[in-house]
Amino acid sequence: NFTHSVNTTQVISARVVSPGVACYTIVNVTLEVLDSPQPVLPQDLDALEACDTNNSGNAVFDLTQMEAAILANETNPSDFSLAYYESQADADAQTNPITVEQAYTSAGMNQTIYVVVTGNNGCTAQTQFELVVNPLPVITPPSALELCDYNNPGDEQEAFDLTQATLEITGGDSSMQVTYYASQNDADTGSNPLSSPYTNTVNNETIYVRVEDQDTGCFVSQGFSLTLVVNPLPSPQVPVTPLEVCDVDNDGFAEFDLDAQTPTIENGELNVAISYHITQSNGEYGVNPIDTTQPYGLSSANTQTLYVRAENTQTGCYVVEVLQLEVVGTPEIGFLEDLYVCDDDYNGFAVF
C-alpha cells in the first residue's frame, strides 16, 4: 500500500523489470485525489415535517426541499446531484432510488430517508434525514354561545366574548391557538380573524373556527363552527297602575294576594317563572322571594313598592319590573239618628 503524501496530485515513477534480464523501463504514474462531497451530517439536519391532513398516518413530502440544507457545506451546490433511498442497503448499493422525489408519500408517521450525494467528479458521500408526520389538533366541537337580549332589547344583537368557547374547544391545551372567522374561506386561509368581543350581525349566526397547533403549525378549519344565539327577554304584563286593596279599618295596612296576580303577569307566556321581591337587588339576583302562598302584608303604611322578576326557565333570561301596592281607605260613616214616621193606616208600612 502506498500512502499519497502530496495534496491533490502527485507523480510517482515506476520501474518495470523483465525477469531474467537486466532490461527495465521507467514510467511515470500520476496519482490524483478527488474531493468527495461534504454533505451536512444527519445530526445537523432538521427533520422534514408535514401535517397529517387526512388523518391517514402519512403525508406527501417534497424531498428536494432538503437539498439546500444537505449541500450547505458546498461552495457550488450545482456541482452535485442527490438521490434518495428508503433503506441503507439501497443507498449503499445505489439501487431502487425514490423516483417521485417531489411527491413522496411517507410510510408512517416517522421515517428515515437515506441520501447519496454525487459530485461531478463521480465521488459520492451519504447522509440521512427524518420525515415527521404531525397529527392535526384534536378539538371538541363547541356548544353554542348564548346571551340574553339585554342591550337594546329586541334588536337580537349582543357582544359575545368568543374566548369563552376556546377552553371547550381545546380542552385546556395551551399549545392550541383558536381564532374565529366570518366565513369558511377566511378560516381556511387564516385571513381576517374576528376580534373579541364580537357583536353578531344576525341571530343564530354561524362563525367558523380555526385551531392551530403552535408547535407544529398544523391546523383544523373544516367541520367546526360556533353558533351565536341571542335569547329574547320575558315580557311580563305587570300592572302599570297600583294594585289596590281596601283598608277596612283605615290603619294604613292591608294584605295582598300576590299569587292571584301571577297569571295576569305571565299573560300566557310559557316557561316563565314569576317571583316577587322587596328590594330591586333581590329581584336582580333572584334571591329571597316573597312567599306567595300566604297573603302579603305591607311593611309600611299606605303604599309599598315590590319588584317582580320574570325569568325564562330554559334560558335564564329575566327582567325585573316594578309593582306598586296601595291601600285604599274605606269611607267612614258618622252616627246616624233613627228616622220615625207615623203609621196612619195602622198597616205597618209607611213612606220615608
Side-chain angles (χ1 to χ4, degrees):
N1 295 327
F2 174 76
T3 300
H4 180 60
S5 60
V6 179
N7 187 33
T8 307
T9 303
Q10 181 178 3
V11 178
I12 63 174
S13 298
R15 178 186 173 108
V16 181
V17 180
S18 297
V21 298
C23 299
Y24 65 89
T25 299
I26 296 177
V27 296
N28 291 330
V29 178
T30 300
L31 303 179
E32 184 175 356
V33 178
L34 302 177
D35 289 334
S36 293
Q38 300 297 311
V40 173
L41 297 175
Q43 62 266 29
D44 296 325
L45 290 173
D46 293 331
L48 186 58
E49 300 187 36
C51 299
D52 188 7
T53 54
N54 56 7
N55 292 310
S56 63
N58 50 48
V60 176
F61 290 86
D62 180 359
L63 303 181
T64 63
Q65 290 181 344
M66 293 295 295
E67 185 172 318
I70 292 171
L71 298 177
N73 294 333
E74 303 295 351
T75 304
N76 297 305
S78 60
D79 292 341
F80 301 87
S81 62
L82 279 66
Y84 305 89
Y85 300 86
E86 292 181 324
S87 70
Q88 183 66 67
D90 284 347
D92 292 341
Q94 295 188 37
T95 58
N96 305 314
I98 295 170
T99 57
V100 282
E101 299 174 349
Q102 293 180 308
Y104 174 72
T105 301
S106 65
M109 302 290 283
N110 295 277
Q111 182 181 355
T112 301
I113 296 295
Y114 302 88
V115 186
V116 174
V117 181
T118 303
N120 287 343
N121 58 15
C123 295
T124 64
Q126 293 187 20
T127 190
Q128 63 192 53
F129 62 88
E130 300 299 314
L131 300 182
V132 176
V133 181
N134 292 309
L136 299 182
V138 177
I139 68 176
T140 300
S143 305
L145 287 184
E146 299 189 34
L147 291 177
C148 300
D149 197 7
Y150 291 131
N151 181 30
N152 194 21
D155 68 352
E156 298 184 328
Q157 289 184 293
E158 292 293 324
F160 286 84
D161 180 2
L162 301 180
T163 62
Q164 290 183 348
T166 298
L167 181 62
E168 181 182 10
I169 291 171
T170 64
D173 188 344
S174 59
S175 69
M176 302 297 176
Q177 181 181 47
V178 182
T179 45
Y180 303 89
Y181 301 85
S183 72
Q184 183 64 65
N185 183 67
D186 281 351
D188 293 340
T189 59
S191 305
N192 307 310
L194 300 176
S195 59
S196 182
Y198 168 74
T199 300
N200 62 303
T201 57
V202 296
N203 203 359
N204 294 300
E205 180 178 2
T206 297
I207 60 175
Y208 300 87
V209 180
R210 178 187 175 102
V211 182
E212 183 170 337
D213 187 322
Q214 297 183 88
D215 295 328
T216 67
C218 297
F219 68 90
V220 173
S221 63
Q222 292 281 340
F224 296 95
S225 61
L226 175 64
T227 303
L228 307 180
V229 179
V230 178
N231 292 309
L233 303 181
S235 53
Q237 301 299 303
V238 178
V240 295
T241 57
L243 183 62
E244 297 179 341
V245 170
C246 294
D247 184 1
V248 294
D249 56 5
N250 288 328
D251 64 350
F253 294 91
E255 292 184 335
F256 290 79
D257 185 358
L258 299 178
D259 194 50
Q261 301 301 313
T262 297
T264 300
I265 295 174
E266 288 178 339
N267 195 34
E269 189 172 5
L270 300 178
N271 304 313
V272 172
I274 303 297
S275 58
Y276 303 85
H277 304 265
I278 295 176
T279 67
Q280 184 173 2
S281 176
N282 286 348
E284 295 289 346
Y285 287 102
V287 296
N288 302 320
I290 295 170
D291 181 6
T292 58
T293 63
Q294 302 294 326
Y296 176 73
L298 294 186
S299 58
S300 59
N302 301 317
T303 63
Q304 184 178 350
T305 299
L306 294 185
Y307 299 89
V308 181
R309 178 187 175 97
E311 179 177 344
N312 186 295
T313 56
Q314 294 184 337
T315 66
C317 298
Y318 72 92
V319 294
V320 175
E321 303 283 353
V322 171
L323 175 63
Q324 202 71 35
L325 305 183
E326 184 173 324
V327 174
V328 179
T330 301
E332 295 185 2
I333 302 175
F335 176 76
L336 299 178
E337 296 181 355
D338 294 337
L339 295 179
Y340 298 91
V341 70
C342 296
D343 184 5
D344 295 333
D345 53 6
Y346 301 101
N347 64 355
F349 296 94
V351 176
F352 288 86

